[in-house]
Amino acid sequence: MEYINKYVEENKDRFLEELFGLIRIPSISSIAAHKPDMYKAAEYWKKTLLEAGADKAEVFETAGNPVTYGEKIIDPALPTVLVYGHMDVMPVDPIDLWDTPPFEPQVRDGKIYARGADDDKGQGMMHAKAFELMVKTNTLPCNVKFMIEGEEEVGSPNLGLWCEQNKEMLKADIILVSDTSMLAADIPSITTGLRGLAYWQVEVTGPNRDLHSGIFGGAVANPINVLCSMIDQMVDADGKITIPGFYDTVQEVSSEERALLAKAPFNEEKYKKALGVEELKGEKGFTTSEHTGIRPSFDVCGIWGGYTGEGAKTVLPSKAFAKISSRLVPDQDHEKIAVLFKEHFESIAPKSVKVEVTPLHGGPAYVCPIDIPAYQAAEKAYTDTFGKRPVPVRSGGSIPIISTFEKVLGIKSVLMGFGLESDAIHSPNENYPLEQFYKGIKTIPLFYKYFAEMSK
């Protein structure tokens, strides 16, 4: 690893500045006003890949946000790695909870603080810099392609079609992704499973206008009260989701695999302390790690209605809204689950209100086999860098497009994440430790080395 360490040490300040340049672009895919920023980010990625050593790089249009593609083919007979990442980030609200402006990256206490620091600009930039390292040191052992999209945070609605249209260009032996996390800074892990996702917006309408809560309160149904009551019926006292048919295709994990998953280090007291909660809650009969790894979940992601401004306003609102998501496990069809929830939720609405459920986006779960050369190459790479063998874990998160890659391109994905639970992705004060950023850059070239050797 000597040449790797030397190159990173000599260039680490520049690596950081180039990451900061990307972070400063507020590429929020869910807000239409940021559409121009998506193109700025796409062009930034194009420039980054070309400067790193790509033979060519191009910004492609989709029906939504752009995709940046780049490649370096050193020998068509050699294996090809397709790197996937995303240039878009989550919204920054609530902005007042950020200690520093979200798109002005700062390093404090050894961590980069900014939106996208980890998810996925920091982790994506690791691949660009690892690629540069291999090109500049003449150690690149196989072909490399990059696919950086602009809609991951909104469910990748257009990338599947783009992949279908560009199957020949995207041909590869494995897809390499860094958009997940490790168990801890000193406990490397490889994500072997991702949960799927279904996501809806709910609108509940009561009276035809906002009403005076004194004159009408108690006589007219309050849409917010009704919405809360309906949501409360979705999960029972044992943590089971009550939607009819919801569990029909849930893949039950064997006792043997549950025993293997239980070997992953987990301290429940530290977990609660880190989150600032006194008690955990989940489906009866399963552990906390199993709740997030192998079981589905149901959550309200946002709820609003009525008066939320400063001071008091005695109003009985006309409408109430919620954004609701469900994380899914292998064999659950996200499109079927989307229909099941819509039909059930609308059916339990009292006649005092009208309820409309709109599916927003979703995707299936994904499981990576641990006996393929790419997984074993990743395992060896982590072992070299961190000094210990990585633990295979199933993540509670979702990257819906990963399953689409396998379906459309016929290629498996290996999830080499370097983030940490404390990175606060999707939250105010998102951060990424400098040590993880640099260790990622050092680990990735080793993956290429071992993958090329194992593919012979």
Side-chain angles (χ1 to χ4, degrees):
M1 287 182 62
E2 187 176 339
Y3 73 94
I4 294 176
N5 292 332
K6 182 175 184 291
Y7 193 88
V8 172
E9 186 61 32
E10 290 174 350
N11 293 278
K12 64 180 184 180
D13 292 340
R14 175 175 60 81
F15 290 171
L16 202 58
E17 278 308 308
E18 290 180 20
L19 170 60
F20 284 4
L22 180 61
I23 286 174
R24 291 186 183 105
I25 303 170
S27 48
I28 304 171
S29 55
S30 61
I31 299 176
H34 286 281
K35 184 88 169 182
D37 294 313
M38 301 311 306
Y39 283 92
K40 289 179 184 176
E43 290 293 340
Y44 194 98
W45 262 107
K46 175 183 174 180
K47 178 173 177 284
T48 297
L49 294 177
L50 289 172
E51 290 178 350
D55 296 329
K56 65 177 182 179
E58 185 177 347
V59 175
F60 284 81
E61 294 285 351
T62 73
N65 290 332
V67 175
T68 299
Y69 173 83
E71 67 177 32
K72 187 172 187 66
I73 307 300
I74 59 173
D75 183 346
L78 290 173
T80 299
V81 175
L82 174 58
V83 177
Y84 165 78
H86 63 92
M87 67 187 84
D88 63 321
V89 297
M90 277 285 183
V92 296
D93 295 331
I95 189 70
D96 57 329
L97 295 184
W98 286 81
D99 293 336
T100 51
F103 295 108
E104 295 177 19
Q106 293 189 18
V107 175
R108 302 195 304 274
D109 302 320
K111 297 179 179 180
I112 308 162
Y113 282 86
R115 173 58 86 230
D118 171 336
D119 184 18
D120 181 46
K121 292 180 177 180
Q123 294 213 60
M125 187 61 74
M126 294 183 316
H127 286 273
K129 298 297 106 182
F131 169 63
E132 176 196 309
L133 183 157
M134 291 184 286
V135 172
K136 303 300 183 186
T137 58
N138 198 32
T139 55
L140 182 65
C142 56
N143 307 309
V144 188
K145 298 177 179 180
F146 284 85
M147 170 175 53
I148 312 296
E149 75 150 320
E151 295 183 312
E152 192 276 340
E153 298 293 13
V154 292
S156 305
N158 297 293
L159 191 60
L161 177 60
W162 185 82
C163 287
E164 186 75 53
Q165 294 168 340
N166 293 279
K167 286 173 75 170
E168 187 66 29
M169 182 177 74
L170 297 172
K171 276 187 175 179
D173 296 282
I174 195 70
I175 297 173
L176 186 59
V177 184
S178 292
D179 195 16
T180 52
S181 60
M182 301 186 348
L183 288 172
D186 60 346
I187 307 175
S189 55
I190 301 175
T191 300
T192 57
L194 294 166
R195 290 196 288 184
L197 176 70
Y199 200 111
W200 310 266
Q201 179 162 312
V202 173
E203 178 178 338
V204 179
T205 304
N208 58 10
R209 64 188 187 280
D210 287 357
L211 304 176
H212 189 291
S213 67
I215 296 173
F216 294 96
V220 178
N222 184 318
I224 299 177
N225 294 357
V226 173
L227 176 57
C228 291
S229 174
M230 292 174 67
I231 289 171
D232 186 54
Q233 298 174 51
M234 293 298 100
V235 181
D236 67 18
D238 290 332
K240 276 272 200 181
I241 297 163
T242 60
I243 301 166
F246 184 86
Y247 289 95
D248 285 358
T249 59
V250 166
Q251 186 183 102
E252 299 295 338
V253 177
S254 68
S255 57
E256 290 80 12
E257 186 171 354
R258 289 179 72 180
L260 279 174
L261 292 171
K263 290 182 179 179
F266 179 74
N267 186 309
E268 191 163 293
E269 290 307 312
K270 285 184 178 179
Y271 185 78
K272 289 190 290 186
K273 186 176 180 181
L275 298 175
V277 298
E278 294 184 8
E279 187 175 78
L280 300 176
K281 186 174 175 61
E283 186 181 351
K284 188 176 180 180
F286 297 90
T287 67
T288 299
S289 296
E290 289 173 338
H291 289 152
T292 59
I294 64 172
R295 300 301 293 171
S297 62
F298 182 91
D299 288 286
V300 179
C301 301
I303 186 166
W304 69 99
Y307 181 69
T308 58
E310 185 178 352
K313 181 182 180 184
T314 51
V315 61
L316 192 159
S318 169
K319 291 180 178 288
F321 302 86
K323 291 185 185 289
I324 296 172
S325 75
S326 180
R327 300 288 175 163
L328 310 175
V329 296
D331 293 346
Q332 282 187 294
D333 184 329
H334 69 99
E335 293 178 342
K336 181 180 178 184
I337 295 298
V339 173
L340 288 177
F341 171 73
K342 176 178 171 66
E343 291 177 347
H344 178 60
F345 204 72
E346 291 176 352
S347 74
I348 65 170
K351 292 183 178 179
S352 55
V353 297
K354 297 182 183 69
V355 174
E356 182 178 357
V357 176
T358 304
L360 296 182
H361 68 84
Y366 175 75
V367 176
C368 173
I370 62 175
D371 59 353
I372 60 174
Y375 179 87
Q376 294 164 351
E379 192 174 54
K380 284 175 68 67
Y382 276 105
T383 303
D384 285 1
T385 308
F386 289 85
K388 58 181 72 172
R389 189 176 179 181
V391 180
V393 295
R394 289 206 186 189
S395 168
S398 305
I399 311 177
I401 196 63
I402 298 296
S403 292
T404 304
F405 290 153
E406 186 170 10
K407 181 180 177 182
V408 174
L409 301 175
I411 311 172
K412 285 285 186 184
S413 297
V414 169
L415 305 165
M416 285 184 68
F418 295 87
L420 299 176
E421 179 193 309
S422 57
D423 291 353
I425 62 172
H426 294 197
S427 301
N429 300 310
E430 179 179 349
N431 63 89
Y432 194 36
L434 289 172
E435 184 178 12
Q436 295 300 110
F437 177 63
Y438 293 129
K439 272 193 171 180
I441 298 171
K442 293 175 182 179
T443 305
I444 292 165
L446 296 173
F447 166 82
Y448 281 84
K449 174 182 181 294
Y450 292 128
F451 181 62
E453 291 173 358
M454 293 177 179
S455 299
K456 287 179 181 177

